[in-house]
Amino acid sequence: MNNNIMTKIYVLALLLLILSRSCINTTTALEESPLQDFEAVPEIKLNSIKITLEHDSVLYDPRTINVFDSIAVFYDISGVAGFSMVNLLNGKLITRFAHIGDDENYDINTLSLSPIKGSTKEFSIYEGAPPYRVFKYNIDSLINSKTYSPELVCQLPKEVVFETPLVESDSVILGNITFTKLDNKFFGIYNLRQKTVTTGIDVPKFSSRRYKQYYQDENISWVKAVLGSNIGIRPNGREIASFSKRGGLFQIISIENHKPKVLTEKLYYMPEFVINEISENITKSMYTKNNKYGYNNITVTEDRIYALYNGKLTNTPGVESLSSNLVLVYDWAGKPINKILLDDEYYQIAIDPQQLSTSPN
């Protein structure tokens, strides 16, 4: 086993839900699974180091985690605030922020957090519901000022809805587009200065005829929405990793001449869903029992893409369907490097090169 690969692996994995202690293997058939590409690569087994939170650091309903040095930021939905910030060295709560409601300028709903390219001290928060605003937060200012207000980066045009956009620079926001009146493209770039949107990349087509209806004009927006992607941008490059949450799809994308271009793409399976009419003019997509989850989340470094792969059926009982103990590691060409087998089932992973180094048993 290559020791050079081993010394580069720094993983922080936190248990964000109360889960069974047993490790549940994925149920995806090998003929349509990312696992088929990882059969011959080295496997690394990692044991977790538990972090004990102080009594005042109770997490209410943690959904995601991002790590900045020794600070973890949880999308926590406490009922008052959207996020909780915790010091990983001592387990103490630092602050809660992004207050929920609409009475004040900076109260935000339906949130997603993304690191900002090239910064270890800033992140953006996106409002995934009207009025679709993007805010920029500075960690030091957030910690040190009780009256800190984030910077309003922009309010996105109502005809564009991103899944989880990234602030690539002071002038560019990019990411997967879900519902949009523009076209049927899968990826979008919003220029803040020119207030223009550039779209590109078609939804990948699967050869199986059972997905034929997915590519009809009236369904394509639903397909974009249910595919949904976790994305990460290479810290010192122009490449973007896009890994589907509800399908077996990954793409490595570059931005050339302000347009997105697919460098590498692999489609193993599509999400399986039906569209139900709830009431007049209101429809909703629902996953079928045969649907398989994709990649729970990804986190990236300059050299690697770490993807927590799920692959379980939608009807897997309880919270076990939402967790996994398998991390698939790719390089930025989309080549499988190794797989990491965690000692328990986890919902999210994050990279923290400063605090937790792990090694195989």
Side-chain angles (χ1 to χ4, degrees), residues 7-270:
T7 57
K8 293 180 181 177
I9 297 174
Y10 303 90
V11 178
L12 174 66
L14 270 79
L15 185 62
L16 297 190
L17 297 172
I18 300 175
L19 305 172
S20 167
R21 292 294 300 177
S22 62
C23 291
I24 310 296
N25 292 324
T26 57
T27 59
T28 306
L30 284 179
E31 63 268 23
E32 50 178 25
S33 165
L35 301 183
Q36 65 194 19
D37 293 334
F38 282 81
E39 289 181 310
V41 302
E43 180 178 278
I44 302 163
K45 294 184 179 180
L46 297 182
N47 290 324
S48 61
I49 300 173
K50 307 299 181 185
I51 295 173
T52 302
L53 302 181
E54 293 292 316
H55 69 279
D56 63 349
S57 303
V58 173
L59 299 176
Y60 292 87
D61 185 15
R63 306 285 183 88
T64 65
I65 174 177
N66 283 269
V67 176
F68 303 86
D69 294 330
S70 60
I71 294 172
V73 181
F74 298 89
Y75 180 31
D76 192 27
I77 319 180
S78 67
V80 176
F83 291 87
S84 297
M85 182 181 288
V86 174
N87 186 324
L88 293 174
L89 299 181
N90 56 24
K92 291 184 177 180
L93 177 73
I94 298 173
T95 186
R96 302 191 200 276
F97 63 95
H99 290 80
I100 294 173
D102 54 12
D103 295 333
E104 300 177 13
N105 251 356
Y106 295 106
D107 288 354
I108 314 170
N109 281 299
T110 315
L111 311 172
S112 65
L113 183 151
S114 299
I116 292 177
K117 181 183 176 182
S119 175
T120 60
K121 293 292 185 179
E122 292 182 321
F123 56 82
S124 64
I125 289 180
Y126 167 63
E127 236 178 346
Y132 300 114
R133 294 173 293 182
V134 179
F135 296 86
K136 182 191 290 186
Y137 284 79
N138 179 280
I139 291 177
D140 290 339
S141 299
L142 187 59
I143 293 172
N144 296 325
S145 173
K146 293 183 179 179
T147 59
Y148 173 69
S149 294
E151 174 188 344
L152 176 62
V153 176
C154 73
Q155 181 172 323
L156 291 166
K158 62 182 180 180
E159 66 268 20
V160 176
V161 179
F162 282 101
E163 175 73 17
T164 306
L166 294 176
V167 177
E168 195 269 341
S169 69
D170 289 339
S171 61
V172 173
I173 294 175
L174 48 80
N176 292 115
I177 290 179
T178 54
F179 288 96
T180 174
K181 297 178 181 178
L182 297 175
D183 54 36
N184 289 332
K185 301 299 182 181
F186 194 52
F187 198 88
I189 303 168
Y190 182 67
N191 188 304
L192 294 171
R193 294 173 183 169
Q194 299 176 6
K195 299 188 184 304
T196 57
V197 180
T198 302
T199 61
I201 305 177
D202 293 319
V203 173
K205 289 193 175 182
F206 205 87
S207 58
S208 173
R209 289 186 60 81
R210 75 177 184 269
Y211 298 118
K212 182 179 179 180
Q213 73 276 14
Y214 281 31
Y215 305 105
Q216 298 169 357
D217 288 345
E218 64 269 23
N219 291 333
I220 197 73
S221 288
W222 287 101
V223 176
K224 291 194 295 182
V226 300
L227 263 175
S229 290
N230 303 287
I231 62 175
I233 190 165
R234 194 173 188 175
N236 296 315
R238 297 288 291 168
E239 298 90 344
I240 297 156
S242 177
F243 282 62
S244 175
K245 302 173 187 176
R246 298 294 183 263
L249 167 69
F250 80 81
Q251 298 167 315
I252 309 297
I253 299 166
S254 70
I255 308 299
E256 299 180 8
N257 298 320
H258 307 289
K259 294 182 179 180
K261 177 183 177 182
V262 174
L263 299 177
T264 304
E265 178 181 278
K266 192 69 177 285
L267 175 61
Y268 299 96
Y269 55 88
M270 295 289 286

